[in-house]
Amino acid sequence: MRAMSTFPIRVFGDPVLKQQTRLVEDIDGTFAKVVDTMFTTMYDAPGVGLAAPQVGVQQRFFVYDIDDEPRVLINPQIVATEGEWTYEEGCLSIPGLNFAIVRPKVITVQAVDIDGNEVVVVGDELLGRVFLHEIDHLDGVLMFDRLDDVARKAALREWRRLETEGGAQRDPSHAL
Ligand code: NI
């Protein structure tokens, strides 16, 4: 059996992670293949969410799988948020670092699915966090940008230390 292909995951410092994405216009066979490879890449990492820029694709979509429900959301828009929730976030593009970040708890997203149908999905806690984290990626926003100045400076120092030591360990639990 041939091994499934994966994309290399872009890591902090790669300019593609700081760029805005374009709306997806064609949900065709080529697009579906990219989505499949993104799922393989996400499972292989392993992670529970992966946004297109993380594999160098500057388009507005992300994949995720929580509780064995793989899904892709295309051209997502946040239409409502509620509450507040603190969660120790990890990012596949910032391997080795986790940060407790406060964000809304319940997130309602309007998007298009792989069949081109408009969908509205509601995510609470971890699922809501996946939505916010991945939509940040689509806007070129990373976890560092969600920290206050003092925390960001400390985080970037820690990142440089990990890079110098060359041994950034991925936390495989719930990286996004
Ligand atoms: Ni991420």
Side-chain angles (χ1 to χ4, degrees):
M1 206 172 101
R2 205 157 54 99
M4 300 279 282
S5 64
T6 58
F7 291 123
I9 295 179
R10 306 299 181 92
V11 169
F12 179 68
D14 189 319
V16 76
L17 292 171
K18 300 295 285 175
Q19 288 160 13
Q20 264 290 347
T21 49
R22 294 183 307 275
L23 288 174
V24 175
E25 283 172 5
D26 295 311
I27 304 174
D28 53 13
T30 308
F31 180 81
K33 264 187 206 152
V34 172
V35 168
D36 280 349
T37 308
M38 276 181 59
F39 273 115
T40 314
T41 305
M42 182 185 78
Y43 292 129
D44 186 61
V48 297
L50 186 68
Q54 293 183 277
V55 296
V57 176
Q58 283 176 274
Q59 292 192 57
R60 225 168 159 76
F61 69 97
F62 63 89
V63 301
Y64 64 94
D65 186 352
I66 289 179
D67 301 328
D68 291 322
E69 285 181 61
R71 209 156 175 189
V72 53
L73 292 183
I74 301 161
N75 300 337
Q77 277 185 299
I78 299 166
V79 291
T81 64
E82 206 188 299
E84 206 177 83
W85 191 55
T86 306
Y87 179 68
E88 188 92 5
E89 277 180 50
C91 179
L92 293 173
S93 296
I94 309 176
L97 292 185
N98 287 30
F99 306 109
I101 300 177
V102 186
R103 303 196 197 228
K105 180 171 176 286
V106 187
I107 320 300
T108 306
V109 172
Q110 187 180 328
V112 171
D113 70 12
I114 194 72
D115 300 313
N117 299 314
E118 210 156 88
V119 291
V120 173
V121 282
V122 179
D124 191 5
E125 296 196 339
L126 178 59
L127 184 54
R129 188 54 59 100
V130 170
F131 293 166
L132 294 173
H133 182 109
E134 304 309 343
I135 289 171
D136 265 0
H137 273 303
L138 304 182
D139 293 324
V141 173
L142 297 172
M143 293 197 303
F144 291 124
D145 305 312
R146 293 292 179 191
L147 303 175
D148 65 37
D149 285 351
V150 173
R152 185 184 311 114
K153 275 182 194 147
L156 289 169
R157 253 197 318 274
E158 180 65 7
W159 172 256
R160 281 192 293 272
R161 191 185 65 78
L162 285 178
E163 273 203 316
T164 322
E165 289 175 4
Q169 287 291 317
R170 284 187 176 164
D171 175 2
S173 53
H174 289 120
L176 309 170

